[in-house]
Amino acid sequence: MRTLRTALLTAAAGGLAVTALAQVPAAAAPAPAPALPKFLSAGQLPASLTPWTAGPVRQGVPEEGSVCTTGIAPAAGTRYRAFRTELDTGARQTITVATTTARARTLAAELRSSLETCLDRLKEQNPGLEGEALHQGRVNVEEGAHVYSIDTSYPEVGSTDIGLYSVGRDGRTVTVVEWGQLGDLDGAPLAGFKKTTRTAVAKLH
């Protein structure tokens, strides 16, 4: 009888232990990391005579930065992707995720200011350079995007270059899209670039 009672008590104690373990909540799973902002694909660039090729997404700021915005975006939280065609046309998208919305707003304003004063700086650095810089309007997407054109030429050698730029923001995320080729503004796909800008900002998150 004592042996049977001992066995029953042992079984009961084991059952209580199992019940107690079952009542202990499992450790909460770590929250998934927020999804990284998405980049443009080659097919979302303005139409070109030859197909666009997209390079890999790289961390940090480009080693060869834009002549207009170099040194403004921090390396931390920044990634970029370059695009090219078989002709003298290239593009690049840079995305920066700021630590706060306020810092993203400030970064976007600094990038816009740098683009607005870029031609003047280029003329100071390159005597003989001529050109025209224009604000090409606002694109209504998320917190907004602004498009600029910078048309430059060296009359002495007869070379001309046209660059299109945009700065857009979605919350804490700021993106810059750059497009450039030989030629002038009349031959640039401004409407297509605005569409690309809208897509770039809309697909960030």
Side-chain angles (χ1 to χ4, degrees):
M1 181 66 71
R2 180 174 298 175
T3 301
L4 177 60
R5 184 180 301 163
T6 301
L8 290 173
L9 288 174
T10 302
L16 289 173
V18 170
T19 302
L21 287 173
Q23 292 176 349
V24 175
L36 291 173
K38 299 179 181 64
F39 279 82
L40 291 165
S41 64
Q44 293 169 326
L45 273 289
S48 177
L49 293 177
T50 59
W52 286 97
T53 299
V57 174
R58 301 185 183 278
Q59 298 288 338
V61 295
E63 292 183 6
E64 296 182 1
S66 166
V67 294
C68 291
T69 59
T70 296
I72 297 177
T78 297
R79 299 181 299 147
Y80 68 94
R81 186 179 208 178
F83 304 84
R84 62 179 178 82
T85 70
E86 294 177 4
L87 301 177
D88 292 321
T89 306
R92 180 166 57 201
Q93 183 184 13
T94 305
I95 297 176
T96 302
V97 180
T99 54
T100 65
T101 299
R103 291 189 178 183
R105 189 181 298 115
T106 298
L107 174 60
E110 290 176 347
L111 288 165
R112 288 185 56 198
S113 177
S114 184
L115 286 169
E116 290 165 357
T117 59
C118 183
L119 182 58
D120 291 337
R121 297 196 308 274
L122 290 175
K123 287 181 176 179
E124 291 177 358
Q125 298 167 7
N126 302 277
L129 179 70
E130 296 181 359
E132 182 179 32
L134 298 172
H135 177 233
Q136 297 290 352
R138 186 180 191 274
V139 177
N140 293 321
V141 56
E142 300 301 340
E143 274 69 59
H146 291 264
V147 176
Y148 301 86
S149 65
I150 300 178
D151 199 342
T152 58
S153 66
Y154 281 98
E156 293 184 0
V157 297
S159 66
T160 59
D161 294 277
I162 176 63
L164 300 178
Y165 306 83
S166 63
V167 178
R169 183 173 68 86
D170 181 0
R172 294 191 298 119
T173 305
V174 177
T175 187
V176 175
V177 182
E178 308 165 67
W179 174 98
Q181 71 175 20
L182 299 177
D184 53 30
L185 183 58
D186 290 341
L190 183 57
F193 184 77
K194 288 184 176 181
K195 181 179 179 180
T196 293
T197 293
R198 180 184 298 279
T199 301
V201 178
K203 72 180 296 186
L204 288 173
H205 296 291

